[in-house]
Amino acid sequence: MDIKNVTVAGGGVLGSQIAFQSAYCGFNVTVWLRSEGSVGRAKPKFERLRTIYLNTLEAMKTNPQAYCRGLAPSPDMSAEEIDQLKARADAALNNITFTLSYEDAARDCDLVIEAIAKNPEEKIAFYTELAKHLPEKTIIATNSSTMLPSAFAQYTGRPEKYLALHFANEIWRNNTAEVMGHPETSKEGFDKVVTFAQAISMIPLELHKEQPGYILNSLLVPFLSAAEELLATGVADCETIDKTWMLATGAPLGPFRILDIVGLTTAYNIGIMDPRSKDPGTVQGKVAALLKGYIDEGKTGVNAGEGFYKY
Amino acid sequence: MDIKNVTVAGGGVLGSQIAFQSAYCGFNVTVWLRSEGSVGRAKPKFERLRTIYLNTLEAMKTNPQAYCRGLAPSPDMSAEEIDQLKARADAALNNITFTLSYEDAARDCDLVIEAIAKNPEEKIAFYTELAKHLPEKTIIATNSSTMLPSAFAQYTGRPEKYLALHFANEIWRNNTAEVMGHPETSKEGFDKVVTFAQAISMIPLELHKEQPGYILNSLLVPFLSAAEELLATGVADCETIDKTWMLATGAPLGPFRILDIVGLTTAYNIGIMDPRSKDPGTVQGKVAALLKGYIDEGKTGVNAGEGFYKY
């Protein structure tokens, strides 16, 4: 493992999780933020993560359901082993430095994980400035869900050491990391990032080609759209559709439970990217109207307490 | 429950299961078959079903994994209760009469379940001849997976008492039954079939509109196609795609495990209905070529011992 010093750019939901998990797993972490205001907003997220890690580990001593794959290699840990992990979680913040400086973010850095806002101009400005300071060895990975690495490779000054490393929310529990290069990414850089993902207790999922939506959203979007269409055209209600899927495939959740977790706003934003959704007479238009109706009533999913179901 | 006498037309895989399950649940069952040859082919299927039911019930005494929802109302049955169910399974064939005669098939029949070959001309000939003999009360349900009831309603002489009741294979285990009318189906007829489905230990899944592929295939086909496209375009291997889905959604099976169960030939036949599959340069063409490659090697899925995975 050549990677020791990791810089995470961005202190949002995912940035803070990636940084904390990396520190928990023993890496030296620098969190680069844009402004003092960003630092003020990020620090409570890190405190909250420490509490979540400590509470979850404590719960794992007595409750097998509490086990999170990102926190421990096995659900069968002794109380003493879990106490050692708790000590690691408690001390993780000691491995994290916050900085506003590109120079500090770049200094002796082995891997940059970019998790800044979904704004192409901001990403380009970040890569361009950072590239001036980075050592040659540094690999850059983007966590972007929706933008392809080939769109930004030229701004990094190291296209062969640039690729995507895409995390799921709550990475200590949902510990998958999709690894995806662009056509110029070197195998060496790709493999190093796979190894790093394993070292922070992620399960790397390797893509051999650039694919918008990676693997997961490439499967989820058509699946969820099909379910939305059945509901929007009045074929069946969401309970029946969910029950059909769960009974036939043994899955614990049907599409509308998954939609409630994903959030109806996200589903709506994906749906309206299809120009047919502008026409209320099309199936896509009916789906958009259905989702908008829920969103307008504040029923945006689990986080709002109600979506297709109540929580 | 107005339904006592059930005629099942067809002694194929599903016809025999529907007839046996109905008899197991106490209905008087007549199996209509086209020829003496059909009777000869059907009878061993019924003997095999009796053995499966008896063995599964016996296994349920000691192995909770053996529980099949269609065989018992709860997994927590005493050995004595299971022995009573075994007696019912053993005697089920006594409730079944085989006939080649439309008159016998129609006499005092409350419900006909049509499970004959996927051939529109054969179905039309069957309905037209049967309608001459059926009492007015009789409801007709078709198990067809791919043809819509509205295409045949006019030949039944009772469009308001005609609808679809669509079973899954191995109905004693996969006990869902999609109930779907056409625009002229009466609510009364629909509701009677829902009640009947429950009476033979199925979980009815109600569709409020005609929908090609019902609910399940309307979800499965786009989901499986998306997975096939990722594999056929070289984005990732099937193990990685399956793992991604299972880890992200908690599902017990990924799309390629499901494809192996569905069978690659079925997936291929669905795929080539899309005209784009004729062009080897399209994604659909690549999917068709991929599936054909497996099929040509005899790797058609679980039943062949190998598909995307070995069994």
Side-chain angles (χ1 to χ4, degrees), chain A residues 69 176 203 205-209 211 215-216 218-220 222-223 226-227 230 233-236 240 243-245 247-252, chain B residues 69 176 203 205-209 211 215-216 218-220 222-223 226-227 230 233-236 240 243-245 247-250 252:
Chain A
R69 291 185 304 258
T176 56
I203 300 171
L205 300 166
E206 301 182 30
L207 281 79
H208 305 136
K209 266 193 188 174
Q211 167 72 21
I215 296 171
L216 182 57
S218 298
L219 298 173
L220 263 183
F223 169 66
L230 290 173
T233 56
V235 172
T240 300
K243 196 160 64 169
T244 303
W245 183 255
L247 288 169
T249 69
Chain B
R69 291 185 304 258
T176 56
I203 299 173
L205 300 166
E206 301 182 30
L207 282 79
H208 306 135
K209 267 194 186 173
Q211 167 73 20
I215 296 171
L216 181 57
S218 297
L219 298 172
L220 263 183
F223 169 66
L230 290 173
T233 57
V235 171
T240 300
K243 196 161 65 169
T244 303
W245 183 254
L247 288 168
T249 69

Short mmCIF file of all heavy atoms in Angstrom, two decimals, chain A residues 69 176 203 205-209 211 215-216 218-220 222-223 226-227 230 233-236 240 243-245 247-252, chain B residues 69 176 203 205-209 211 215-216 218-220 222-223 226-227 230 233-236 240 243-245 247-250 252:
data_model
loop_
_atom_site.label_atom_id
_atom_site.label_comp_id
_atom_site.label_asym_id
_atom_site.label_seq_id
_atom_site.Cartn_x
_atom_site.Cartn_y
_atom_site.Cartn_z
N ARG A 69 -20.59 -3.37 8.07
CA ARG A 69 -19.42 -3.97 7.43
C ARG A 69 -18.21 -3.04 7.38
O ARG A 69 -17.07 -3.48 7.34
CB ARG A 69 -19.75 -4.40 5.99
CG ARG A 69 -20.70 -5.58 5.88
CD ARG A 69 -20.86 -5.99 4.41
NE ARG A 69 -21.31 -4.86 3.60
CZ ARG A 69 -22.55 -4.67 3.19
NH1 ARG A 69 -23.48 -5.56 3.47
NH2 ARG A 69 -22.87 -3.61 2.46
N THR A 176 -19.89 0.00 -0.20
CA THR A 176 -19.46 -0.29 -1.56
C THR A 176 -18.76 0.94 -2.14
O THR A 176 -19.08 2.07 -1.79
CB THR A 176 -20.65 -0.62 -2.48
OG1 THR A 176 -21.59 0.47 -2.42
CG2 THR A 176 -21.34 -1.89 -2.03
N ILE A 203 -15.94 -2.38 -0.08
CA ILE A 203 -15.93 -3.47 -1.07
C ILE A 203 -15.83 -2.81 -2.43
O ILE A 203 -16.77 -2.16 -2.88
CB ILE A 203 -17.21 -4.31 -0.97
CG1 ILE A 203 -17.32 -4.93 0.42
CG2 ILE A 203 -17.24 -5.38 -2.05
CD1 ILE A 203 -18.65 -5.62 0.69
N LEU A 205 -16.02 -2.21 -6.29
CA LEU A 205 -16.78 -2.75 -7.42
C LEU A 205 -16.16 -2.16 -8.67
O LEU A 205 -16.25 -0.96 -8.91
CB LEU A 205 -18.25 -2.37 -7.28
CG LEU A 205 -18.92 -2.88 -6.00
CD1 LEU A 205 -20.25 -2.18 -5.77
CD2 LEU A 205 -19.11 -4.39 -6.05
N GLU A 206 -15.47 -3.01 -9.44
CA GLU A 206 -14.64 -2.51 -10.53
C GLU A 206 -15.42 -2.40 -11.83
O GLU A 206 -15.99 -3.37 -12.30
CB GLU A 206 -13.44 -3.44 -10.73
CG GLU A 206 -12.59 -3.56 -9.48
CD GLU A 206 -11.36 -4.44 -9.68
OE1 GLU A 206 -10.85 -4.52 -10.82
OE2 GLU A 206 -10.93 -5.07 -8.70
N LEU A 207 -15.41 -1.22 -12.42
CA LEU A 207 -15.98 -1.01 -13.75
C LEU A 207 -14.83 -0.95 -14.75
O LEU A 207 -13.82 -0.30 -14.50
CB LEU A 207 -16.77 0.30 -13.81
CG LEU A 207 -18.17 0.27 -13.21
CD1 LEU A 207 -18.11 0.36 -11.70
CD2 LEU A 207 -19.05 1.38 -13.78
N HIS A 208 -15.02 -1.64 -15.88
CA HIS A 208 -13.95 -1.67 -16.89
C HIS A 208 -14.09 -0.58 -17.93
O HIS A 208 -13.27 -0.49 -18.84
CB HIS A 208 -13.94 -3.04 -17.58
CG HIS A 208 -13.82 -4.18 -16.63
ND1 HIS A 208 -14.57 -5.32 -16.71
CD2 HIS A 208 -13.05 -4.32 -15.51
CE1 HIS A 208 -14.26 -6.13 -15.71
NE2 HIS A 208 -13.36 -5.54 -14.97
N LYS A 209 -15.14 0.20 -17.82
CA LYS A 209 -15.42 1.25 -18.81
C LYS A 209 -16.15 2.38 -18.13
O LYS A 209 -16.86 2.14 -17.14
CB LYS A 209 -16.36 0.71 -19.89
CG LYS A 209 -15.70 0.16 -21.08
CD LYS A 209 -16.75 -0.02 -22.18
CE LYS A 209 -16.17 -0.77 -23.35
NZ LYS A 209 -17.20 -1.06 -24.34
N GLN A 211 -19.17 4.58 -17.46
CA GLN A 211 -20.60 4.30 -17.61
C GLN A 211 -21.36 5.33 -16.78
O GLN A 211 -21.21 5.37 -15.55
CB GLN A 211 -20.88 2.88 -17.08
CG GLN A 211 -22.34 2.56 -16.85
CD GLN A 211 -23.12 2.38 -18.15
OE1 GLN A 211 -22.55 2.12 -19.20
NE2 GLN A 211 -24.42 2.54 -18.08
N ILE A 215 -22.59 1.23 -12.06
CA ILE A 215 -23.39 0.00 -12.15
C ILE A 215 -24.75 0.20 -11.46
O ILE A 215 -25.80 -0.07 -12.02
CB ILE A 215 -22.66 -1.20 -11.50
CG1 ILE A 215 -21.37 -1.50 -12.26
CG2 ILE A 215 -23.56 -2.43 -11.47
CD1 ILE A 215 -20.46 -2.53 -11.58
N LEU A 216 -24.70 0.71 -10.24
CA LEU A 216 -25.92 0.70 -9.42
C LEU A 216 -27.03 1.52 -10.06
O LEU A 216 -28.16 1.03 -10.22
CB LEU A 216 -25.64 1.20 -8.00
CG LEU A 216 -26.89 1.17 -7.10
CD1 LEU A 216 -27.50 -0.22 -7.02
CD2 LEU A 216 -26.56 1.69 -5.72
N SER A 218 -27.31 2.44 -13.08
CA SER A 218 -27.68 1.87 -14.39
C SER A 218 -28.73 0.77 -14.24
O SER A 218 -29.51 0.53 -15.15
CB SER A 218 -26.44 1.30 -15.09
OG SER A 218 -25.51 2.34 -15.35
N LEU A 219 -28.73 0.11 -13.08
CA LEU A 219 -29.76 -0.90 -12.81
C LEU A 219 -30.99 -0.27 -12.15
O LEU A 219 -32.13 -0.58 -12.49
CB LEU A 219 -29.21 -1.98 -11.86
CG LEU A 219 -28.03 -2.82 -12.36
CD1 LEU A 219 -27.51 -3.70 -11.23
CD2 LEU A 219 -28.44 -3.68 -13.55
N LEU A 220 -30.72 0.62 -11.18
CA LEU A 220 -31.83 1.18 -10.39
C LEU A 220 -32.76 2.05 -11.23
O LEU A 220 -33.98 1.97 -11.08
CB LEU A 220 -31.28 2.05 -9.25
CG LEU A 220 -31.15 1.45 -7.87
CD1 LEU A 220 -30.66 2.53 -6.90
CD2 LEU A 220 -32.45 0.85 -7.34
N PRO A 222 -33.72 2.24 -14.52
CA PRO A 222 -34.79 1.59 -15.32
C PRO A 222 -35.75 0.77 -14.46
O PRO A 222 -36.95 0.72 -14.77
CB PRO A 222 -34.03 0.69 -16.31
CG PRO A 222 -32.62 0.67 -15.87
CD PRO A 222 -32.38 1.83 -14.97
N PHE A 223 -35.26 0.17 -13.41
CA PHE A 223 -36.12 -0.62 -12.51
C PHE A 223 -37.14 0.28 -11.82
O PHE A 223 -38.35 0.03 -11.84
CB PHE A 223 -35.23 -1.33 -11.50
CG PHE A 223 -35.95 -1.98 -10.36
CD1 PHE A 223 -36.79 -3.06 -10.58
CD2 PHE A 223 -35.78 -1.54 -9.06
CE1 PHE A 223 -37.46 -3.67 -9.53
CE2 PHE A 223 -36.43 -2.14 -8.00
CZ PHE A 223 -37.28 -3.21 -8.23
N ALA A 226 -39.71 1.77 -14.25
CA ALA A 226 -40.76 0.82 -14.63
C ALA A 226 -41.84 0.76 -13.55
O ALA A 226 -43.04 0.72 -13.85
CB ALA A 226 -40.15 -0.57 -14.86
N ALA A 227 -41.41 0.78 -12.28
CA ALA A 227 -42.38 0.75 -11.18
C ALA A 227 -43.20 2.04 -11.17
O ALA A 227 -44.44 2.01 -11.00
CB ALA A 227 -41.64 0.56 -9.86
N LEU A 230 -45.91 1.90 -13.79
CA LEU A 230 -47.07 1.06 -13.44
C LEU A 230 -48.02 1.82 -12.51
O LEU A 230 -49.24 1.75 -12.65
CB LEU A 230 -46.61 -0.23 -12.74
CG LEU A 230 -45.89 -1.25 -13.61
CD1 LEU A 230 -45.35 -2.39 -12.76
CD2 LEU A 230 -46.83 -1.81 -14.69
N THR A 233 -49.69 5.01 -14.40
CA THR A 233 -50.71 4.69 -15.40
C THR A 233 -51.87 3.90 -14.78
O THR A 233 -52.76 3.45 -15.50
CB THR A 233 -50.11 3.88 -16.57
OG1 THR A 233 -49.49 2.71 -16.03
CG2 THR A 233 -49.08 4.70 -17.32
N GLY A 234 -51.85 3.72 -13.47
CA GLY A 234 -52.99 3.11 -12.79
C GLY A 234 -53.08 1.61 -12.90
O GLY A 234 -54.12 1.01 -12.68
N VAL A 235 -51.96 0.94 -13.22
CA VAL A 235 -52.00 -0.52 -13.33
C VAL A 235 -52.17 -1.18 -11.97
O VAL A 235 -52.93 -2.13 -11.82
CB VAL A 235 -50.73 -1.05 -14.04
CG1 VAL A 235 -50.67 -2.57 -14.00
CG2 VAL A 235 -50.69 -0.56 -15.49
N ALA A 236 -51.46 -0.66 -10.98
CA ALA A 236 -51.57 -1.25 -9.64
C ALA A 236 -51.10 -0.23 -8.62
O ALA A 236 -50.47 0.78 -8.98
CB ALA A 236 -50.74 -2.53 -9.54
N THR A 240 -49.02 -3.23 -3.88
CA THR A 240 -49.10 -4.45 -4.70
C THR A 240 -47.84 -4.62 -5.54
O THR A 240 -47.31 -5.73 -5.67
CB THR A 240 -50.35 -4.38 -5.61
OG1 THR A 240 -51.51 -4.28 -4.79
CG2 THR A 240 -50.46 -5.62 -6.48
N LYS A 243 -45.09 -5.72 -3.24
CA LYS A 243 -45.30 -7.11 -2.81
C LYS A 243 -44.94 -8.07 -3.92
O LYS A 243 -44.32 -9.12 -3.68
CB LYS A 243 -46.77 -7.27 -2.40
CG LYS A 243 -47.07 -8.49 -1.59
CD LYS A 243 -48.39 -8.38 -0.81
CE LYS A 243 -49.60 -8.27 -1.71
NZ LYS A 243 -50.87 -8.43 -0.95
N THR A 244 -45.31 -7.73 -5.16
CA THR A 244 -45.01 -8.60 -6.29
C THR A 244 -43.50 -8.83 -6.40
O THR A 244 -43.03 -9.96 -6.54
CB THR A 244 -45.53 -7.96 -7.60
OG1 THR A 244 -46.93 -7.72 -7.46
CG2 THR A 244 -45.29 -8.87 -8.80
N TRP A 245 -42.76 -7.72 -6.32
CA TRP A 245 -41.29 -7.83 -6.46
C TRP A 245 -40.69 -8.63 -5.30
O TRP A 245 -39.83 -9.50 -5.50
CB TRP A 245 -40.67 -6.43 -6.52
CG TRP A 245 -39.19 -6.46 -6.74
CD1 TRP A 245 -38.21 -6.22 -5.82
CD2 TRP A 245 -38.51 -6.78 -7.97
NE1 TRP A 245 -36.98 -6.35 -6.40
CE2 TRP A 245 -37.13 -6.70 -7.71
CE3 TRP A 245 -38.96 -7.12 -9.26
CZ2 TRP A 245 -36.18 -6.94 -8.70
CZ3 TRP A 245 -37.99 -7.37 -10.24
CH2 TRP A 245 -36.63 -7.28 -9.96
N LEU A 247 -42.11 -10.85 -3.27
CA LEU A 247 -42.48 -12.28 -3.26
C LEU A 247 -41.76 -13.01 -4.39
O LEU A 247 -41.33 -14.15 -4.21
CB LEU A 247 -43.99 -12.43 -3.42
CG LEU A 247 -44.81 -12.04 -2.18
CD1 LEU A 247 -46.30 -11.97 -2.54
CD2 LEU A 247 -44.59 -13.04 -1.04
N ALA A 248 -41.64 -12.38 -5.54
CA ALA A 248 -41.07 -13.09 -6.69
C ALA A 248 -39.56 -13.22 -6.61
O ALA A 248 -39.00 -14.18 -7.10
CB ALA A 248 -41.46 -12.39 -8.00
N THR A 249 -38.89 -12.23 -6.01
CA THR A 249 -37.42 -12.25 -6.03
C THR A 249 -36.81 -12.44 -4.66
O THR A 249 -35.59 -12.54 -4.54
CB THR A 249 -36.85 -10.95 -6.64
OG1 THR A 249 -37.11 -9.87 -5.72
CG2 THR A 249 -37.48 -10.65 -7.99
N GLY A 250 -37.65 -12.46 -3.61
CA GLY A 250 -37.11 -12.61 -2.26
C GLY A 250 -36.43 -11.36 -1.74
O GLY A 250 -35.77 -11.39 -0.70
N ALA A 251 -36.59 -10.23 -2.44
CA ALA A 251 -35.93 -8.99 -2.02
C ALA A 251 -36.60 -8.43 -0.76
O ALA A 251 -37.81 -8.59 -0.58
CB ALA A 251 -35.99 -7.97 -3.14
N PRO A 252 -35.81 -7.78 0.10
CA PRO A 252 -36.41 -7.23 1.33
C PRO A 252 -37.20 -5.95 1.08
O PRO A 252 -38.01 -5.56 1.92
CB PRO A 252 -35.20 -6.96 2.22
CG PRO A 252 -34.07 -6.74 1.26
CD PRO A 252 -34.36 -7.62 0.07
N ARG B 69 -45.08 -21.53 1.11
CA ARG B 69 -46.30 -20.79 1.50
C ARG B 69 -47.57 -21.39 0.93
O ARG B 69 -48.64 -21.23 1.48
CB ARG B 69 -46.19 -19.32 1.05
CG ARG B 69 -45.15 -18.51 1.77
CD ARG B 69 -45.21 -17.04 1.33
NE ARG B 69 -45.07 -16.93 -0.11
CZ ARG B 69 -43.96 -16.56 -0.73
NH1 ARG B 69 -42.89 -16.25 -0.03
NH2 ARG B 69 -43.91 -16.48 -2.03
N THR B 176 -47.71 -16.60 -5.88
CA THR B 176 -48.36 -15.35 -6.29
C THR B 176 -49.27 -15.63 -7.48
O THR B 176 -49.01 -16.52 -8.29
CB THR B 176 -47.34 -14.30 -6.72
OG1 THR B 176 -46.53 -14.84 -7.77
CG2 THR B 176 -46.45 -13.90 -5.55
N ILE B 203 -51.29 -15.80 -3.12
CA ILE B 203 -51.39 -14.39 -2.73
C ILE B 203 -51.81 -13.62 -3.98
O ILE B 203 -51.02 -13.51 -4.93
CB ILE B 203 -50.03 -13.88 -2.21
CG1 ILE B 203 -49.61 -14.69 -0.99
CG2 ILE B 203 -50.11 -12.39 -1.89
CD1 ILE B 203 -48.21 -14.38 -0.50
N LEU B 205 -52.43 -10.75 -6.54
CA LEU B 205 -51.84 -9.43 -6.82
C LEU B 205 -52.75 -8.79 -7.86
O LEU B 205 -52.81 -9.23 -9.01
CB LEU B 205 -50.41 -9.60 -7.35
CG LEU B 205 -49.47 -10.33 -6.37
CD1 LEU B 205 -48.20 -10.77 -7.07
CD2 LEU B 205 -49.14 -9.45 -5.18
N GLU B 206 -53.47 -7.76 -7.44
CA GLU B 206 -54.53 -7.21 -8.27
C GLU B 206 -54.03 -6.10 -9.19
O GLU B 206 -53.48 -5.11 -8.73
CB GLU B 206 -55.66 -6.66 -7.38
CG GLU B 206 -56.25 -7.73 -6.46
CD GLU B 206 -57.39 -7.19 -5.62
OE1 GLU B 206 -58.10 -6.26 -6.07
OE2 GLU B 206 -57.59 -7.71 -4.51
N LEU B 207 -54.27 -6.27 -10.49
CA LEU B 207 -53.99 -5.22 -11.47
C LEU B 207 -55.30 -4.54 -11.82
O LEU B 207 -56.31 -5.20 -12.04
CB LEU B 207 -53.36 -5.81 -12.73
CG LEU B 207 -51.87 -6.16 -12.63
CD1 LEU B 207 -51.67 -7.48 -11.92
CD2 LEU B 207 -51.23 -6.20 -14.02
N HIS B 208 -55.25 -3.22 -11.89
CA HIS B 208 -56.47 -2.47 -12.19
C HIS B 208 -56.64 -2.19 -13.67
O HIS B 208 -57.61 -1.57 -14.08
CB HIS B 208 -56.47 -1.14 -11.42
CG HIS B 208 -56.28 -1.32 -9.96
ND1 HIS B 208 -55.43 -0.55 -9.20
CD2 HIS B 208 -56.81 -2.23 -9.10
CE1 HIS B 208 -55.46 -0.96 -7.95
NE2 HIS B 208 -56.28 -1.98 -7.87
N LYS B 209 -55.67 -2.61 -14.46
CA LYS B 209 -55.70 -2.35 -15.90
C LYS B 209 -54.96 -3.46 -16.61
O LYS B 209 -54.07 -4.08 -16.02
CB LYS B 209 -54.91 -1.05 -16.20
CG LYS B 209 -55.73 0.19 -16.24
CD LYS B 209 -54.89 1.30 -16.87
CE LYS B 209 -55.63 2.61 -16.79
NZ LYS B 209 -54.77 3.71 -17.23
N GLN B 211 -52.11 -4.91 -18.64
CA GLN B 211 -50.71 -4.50 -18.74
C GLN B 211 -49.92 -5.66 -19.32
O GLN B 211 -49.83 -6.71 -18.67
CB GLN B 211 -50.18 -4.12 -17.35
CG GLN B 211 -48.68 -3.98 -17.25
CD GLN B 211 -48.16 -2.73 -17.92
OE1 GLN B 211 -48.89 -1.77 -18.15
NE2 GLN B 211 -46.88 -2.71 -18.27
N ILE B 215 -47.40 -7.21 -13.64
CA ILE B 215 -46.51 -6.38 -12.82
C ILE B 215 -45.10 -6.92 -12.87
O ILE B 215 -44.14 -6.19 -13.14
CB ILE B 215 -46.99 -6.34 -11.34
CG1 ILE B 215 -48.37 -5.66 -11.26
CG2 ILE B 215 -45.98 -5.60 -10.47
CD1 ILE B 215 -49.02 -5.76 -9.89
N LEU B 216 -44.96 -8.22 -12.63
CA LEU B 216 -43.61 -8.76 -12.43
C LEU B 216 -42.73 -8.57 -13.65
O LEU B 216 -41.62 -8.07 -13.54
CB LEU B 216 -43.68 -10.24 -12.03
CG LEU B 216 -42.30 -10.85 -11.77
CD1 LEU B 216 -41.55 -10.10 -10.69
CD2 LEU B 216 -42.42 -12.32 -11.41
N SER B 218 -43.12 -6.53 -16.05
CA SER B 218 -42.94 -5.11 -16.35
C SER B 218 -41.77 -4.53 -15.54
O SER B 218 -41.16 -3.55 -15.96
CB SER B 218 -44.21 -4.33 -16.01
OG SER B 218 -45.27 -4.78 -16.83
N LEU B 219 -41.48 -5.13 -14.39
CA LEU B 219 -40.32 -4.70 -13.60
C LEU B 219 -39.07 -5.47 -14.00
O LEU B 219 -37.98 -4.90 -14.14
CB LEU B 219 -40.58 -4.94 -12.10
CG LEU B 219 -41.74 -4.19 -11.45
CD1 LEU B 219 -41.97 -4.70 -10.03
CD2 LEU B 219 -41.46 -2.69 -11.42
N LEU B 220 -39.23 -6.78 -14.18
CA LEU B 220 -38.07 -7.64 -14.42
C LEU B 220 -37.39 -7.34 -15.75
O LEU B 220 -36.17 -7.30 -15.83
CB LEU B 220 -38.48 -9.11 -14.44
CG LEU B 220 -38.30 -9.94 -13.18
CD1 LEU B 220 -38.71 -11.38 -13.49
CD2 LEU B 220 -36.89 -9.93 -12.63
N PRO B 222 -37.09 -4.61 -17.84
CA PRO B 222 -36.13 -3.50 -17.92
C PRO B 222 -34.93 -3.66 -16.97
O PRO B 222 -33.81 -3.26 -17.31
CB PRO B 222 -36.94 -2.26 -17.56
CG PRO B 222 -38.25 -2.75 -17.04
CD PRO B 222 -38.43 -4.16 -17.46
N PHE B 223 -35.16 -4.26 -15.82
CA PHE B 223 -34.08 -4.47 -14.86
C PHE B 223 -33.04 -5.44 -15.42
O PHE B 223 -31.84 -5.16 -15.44
CB PHE B 223 -34.69 -5.00 -13.55
CG PHE B 223 -33.71 -5.52 -12.55
CD1 PHE B 223 -32.82 -4.66 -11.94
CD2 PHE B 223 -33.70 -6.86 -12.20
CE1 PHE B 223 -31.92 -5.13 -10.99
CE2 PHE B 223 -32.79 -7.34 -11.26
CZ PHE B 223 -31.91 -6.48 -10.66
N ALA B 226 -31.13 -4.00 -18.40
CA ALA B 226 -30.08 -3.05 -18.01
C ALA B 226 -28.82 -3.81 -17.59
O ALA B 226 -27.69 -3.42 -17.93
CB ALA B 226 -30.57 -2.16 -16.87
N ALA B 227 -29.01 -4.90 -16.86
CA ALA B 227 -27.86 -5.71 -16.44
C ALA B 227 -27.18 -6.35 -17.64
O ALA B 227 -25.95 -6.34 -17.76
CB ALA B 227 -28.31 -6.78 -15.44
N LEU B 230 -25.00 -3.83 -19.40
CA LEU B 230 -23.72 -3.55 -18.74
C LEU B 230 -22.71 -4.63 -19.06
O LEU B 230 -21.52 -4.36 -19.29
CB LEU B 230 -23.91 -3.45 -17.22
CG LEU B 230 -24.67 -2.23 -16.70
CD1 LEU B 230 -24.93 -2.38 -15.20
CD2 LEU B 230 -23.89 -0.94 -16.97
N THR B 233 -21.73 -4.65 -23.01
CA THR B 233 -20.88 -3.54 -23.45
C THR B 233 -19.56 -3.49 -22.68
O THR B 233 -18.78 -2.56 -22.85
CB THR B 233 -21.61 -2.19 -23.29
OG1 THR B 233 -22.01 -2.03 -21.92
CG2 THR B 233 -22.85 -2.13 -24.18
N GLY B 234 -19.34 -4.50 -21.83
CA GLY B 234 -18.03 -4.61 -21.18
C GLY B 234 -17.81 -3.67 -20.01
O GLY B 234 -16.68 -3.42 -19.60
N VAL B 235 -18.88 -3.16 -19.42
CA VAL B 235 -18.72 -2.24 -18.28
C VAL B 235 -18.24 -3.00 -17.04
O VAL B 235 -17.38 -2.52 -16.31
CB VAL B 235 -20.03 -1.49 -17.98
CG1 VAL B 235 -19.93 -0.71 -16.68
CG2 VAL B 235 -20.38 -0.57 -19.15
N ALA B 236 -18.80 -4.17 -16.82
CA ALA B 236 -18.39 -4.95 -15.64
C ALA B 236 -18.76 -6.41 -15.87
O ALA B 236 -19.53 -6.74 -16.78
CB ALA B 236 -19.06 -4.42 -14.38
N THR B 240 -19.62 -8.90 -10.48
CA THR B 240 -19.56 -7.54 -9.93
C THR B 240 -20.93 -6.87 -9.98
O THR B 240 -21.36 -6.20 -9.04
CB THR B 240 -18.53 -6.70 -10.69
OG1 THR B 240 -17.25 -7.32 -10.56
CG2 THR B 240 -18.46 -5.27 -10.16
N LYS B 243 -23.11 -8.45 -7.36
CA LYS B 243 -22.68 -8.02 -6.03
C LYS B 243 -23.14 -6.59 -5.75
O LYS B 243 -23.58 -6.28 -4.64
CB LYS B 243 -21.14 -8.13 -5.95
CG LYS B 243 -20.58 -8.09 -4.57
CD LYS B 243 -19.15 -8.67 -4.50
CE LYS B 243 -18.15 -7.85 -5.28
NZ LYS B 243 -16.75 -8.26 -5.01
N THR B 244 -23.03 -5.73 -6.75
CA THR B 244 -23.45 -4.34 -6.57
C THR B 244 -24.92 -4.27 -6.16
O THR B 244 -25.29 -3.58 -5.21
CB THR B 244 -23.25 -3.55 -7.88
OG1 THR B 244 -21.88 -3.66 -8.28
CG2 THR B 244 -23.62 -2.09 -7.72
N TRP B 245 -25.75 -5.02 -6.89
CA TRP B 245 -27.19 -4.99 -6.61
C TRP B 245 -27.49 -5.57 -5.23
O TRP B 245 -28.28 -5.01 -4.46
CB TRP B 245 -27.94 -5.78 -7.69
CG TRP B 245 -29.43 -5.73 -7.52
CD1 TRP B 245 -30.24 -6.73 -7.06
CD2 TRP B 245 -30.29 -4.61 -7.78
NE1 TRP B 245 -31.55 -6.30 -7.03
CE2 TRP B 245 -31.60 -5.00 -7.46
CE3 TRP B 245 -30.06 -3.32 -8.25
CZ2 TRP B 245 -32.70 -4.16 -7.60
CZ3 TRP B 245 -31.15 -2.46 -8.38
CH2 TRP B 245 -32.45 -2.89 -8.06
N LEU B 247 -25.49 -5.90 -2.58
CA LEU B 247 -25.00 -5.09 -1.46
C LEU B 247 -25.83 -3.82 -1.30
O LEU B 247 -26.11 -3.38 -0.19
CB LEU B 247 -23.53 -4.71 -1.69
CG LEU B 247 -22.54 -5.86 -1.52
CD1 LEU B 247 -21.16 -5.45 -2.05
CD2 LEU B 247 -22.43 -6.29 -0.05
N ALA B 248 -26.23 -3.21 -2.42
CA ALA B 248 -26.93 -1.92 -2.33
C ALA B 248 -28.38 -2.08 -1.90
O ALA B 248 -28.93 -1.20 -1.25
CB ALA B 248 -26.85 -1.19 -3.66
N THR B 249 -29.02 -3.17 -2.27
CA THR B 249 -30.46 -3.30 -1.99
C THR B 249 -30.78 -4.41 -1.00
O THR B 249 -31.95 -4.58 -0.64
CB THR B 249 -31.26 -3.57 -3.29
OG1 THR B 249 -30.93 -4.89 -3.76
CG2 THR B 249 -30.94 -2.55 -4.38
N GLY B 250 -29.77 -5.18 -0.59
CA GLY B 250 -30.03 -6.27 0.34
C GLY B 250 -30.72 -7.46 -0.29
O GLY B 250 -31.17 -8.37 0.40
N PRO B 252 -31.34 -11.00 -2.17
CA PRO B 252 -30.59 -12.25 -2.09
C PRO B 252 -29.99 -12.69 -3.43
O PRO B 252 -29.08 -13.51 -3.45
CB PRO B 252 -31.64 -13.26 -1.62
CG PRO B 252 -32.94 -12.70 -2.11
CD PRO B 252 -32.79 -11.20 -2.06
#
